[in-house]
Amino acid sequence: MRIVSSPLRLAILTPMTTPALPPDHWPYPSWIAHRGAGTMAPENTLAAFRLGADHGFAMFECDVKLSADGEPFLLHDAELDRTTNGQGVAGVHSWDALSRLDAGSWHGRAYAGEPLLRLEALSRWLQSLGLMVNLEIKPSPGDDARTGRVVAERVRTLWAQSEVKPLLSSFSLDALRAAAQAAPELPRALLLDRWQPEGIDEALLLGCRALVVQQAFLNDRRIDAIHAAGLKSMAYTVNDAERAGTLWLSGLDGLITDRVDLFEPQARLGACPGQRLVVDLATA
């Protein structure tokens, strides 16, 4: 047992079970499409995932929360107002009510009537095409532990026959802790919206495999520190080609982007760009 301090709290954390994977086993591609297809389609809808796949992306990031009756579905915001024709906190509504909302018209007439997406439906689509996903556990306010537990349990069931499981991530320590207790074998990652040195220790105590950091706060030294701890380094949300190149040269393992159009050629190649850049520089 260790005591870890943070700007927000002093918490006693018990190390979680690390997923039973070889230390060097990381099955995920380097390029990850943000919320399906970034800003090119209504985020977190099946239309967005289809567009991202059309641009060559084999892995996606998306946000998962629970309806009032415990159905996991995709939505980034706590409230419905920005991306649907609904109003108020999403988590207080039943899935039946949420399923009737229009989650596409806000983005354009071409997507009118696009529904909110259940995790179960996304799972079927992804697995039918052999695609991968980073599921960010995005609890409604005050619902962290329940969301982490239910999402992990549902992922365990939905991806039971899949060789590569979803990567579960969250900013919420409580959600990740609950996910780890419910399904310790699923790979997890801690999200940071700024650099926090204690974040590495927190990720390790939670049995995480990766640290996902807001890209502006990453550099060579911090990526090296993440790797030295035995974690993979990931960055969000990188939309500039020059910045992406810098991060790859620094050893980044995974890059989340809105620019599925700009990075389509690299995403289709699949291999880690950083490895190719290092080889190209060495042979130049």
Side-chain angles (χ1 to χ4, degrees), residues 189-223:
L190 177 62
L191 275 156
L192 297 178
D193 61 4
R194 64 188 187 282
W195 182 252
Q196 299 170 290
E198 66 273 15
I200 292 177
D201 284 339
E202 289 176 333
L204 293 172
L205 288 166
L206 288 165
C208 291
R209 297 292 313 281
L211 200 62
V212 189
V213 185
Q214 208 284 336
Q215 60 89 14
F217 295 93
L218 280 177
N219 55 34
D220 293 8
R221 178 174 54 81
R222 290 171 177 174
I223 290 175

Side-chain angles (χ1 to χ4, degrees), residues 4 8 39 43 54 59 69 73 96 121 138 154 164 175 177 185 187-189 202 210 213 226 246 256 260:
V4 175
L8 300 179
T39 60
E43 62 187 58
D54 286 345
M59 185 170 180
D69 49 346
F73 71 100
D96 181 66
K138 201 86 169 180
R154 195 65 63 87
V164 179
R177 190 176 297 111
E185 74 280 7
R188 298 177 299 281
E202 289 176 333
V213 185
I226 293 169
T246 298
I256 300 170
V260 298

Side-chain angles (χ1 to χ4, degrees), residues 64-141:
V64 184
K65 53 172 39 71
L66 300 182
S67 64
D69 49 346
E71 185 65 37
F73 71 100
L74 274 55
L75 187 74
H76 176 271
D77 299 359
E79 297 185 343
L80 295 162
D81 303 58
R82 181 175 67 88
T83 57
T84 79
N85 62 342
Q87 294 181 326
V89 176
V92 304
H93 297 281
S94 68
W95 172 247
D96 181 66
L98 292 166
S99 68
R100 301 171 191 270
L101 296 177
D102 179 345
S105 290
W106 69 275
H107 195 276
R109 295 181 64 183
Y111 296 105
E114 190 72 24
L116 288 170
L117 184 59
R118 293 171 70 202
L119 180 61
E120 182 177 353
L122 176 65
S123 169
R124 289 196 301 268
W125 182 82
L126 289 170
Q127 292 184 75
S128 71
L129 296 174
L131 303 175
M132 289 164 275
V133 69
N134 167 201
L135 298 173
E136 181 185 341
I137 303 171
K138 201 86 169 180
S140 294

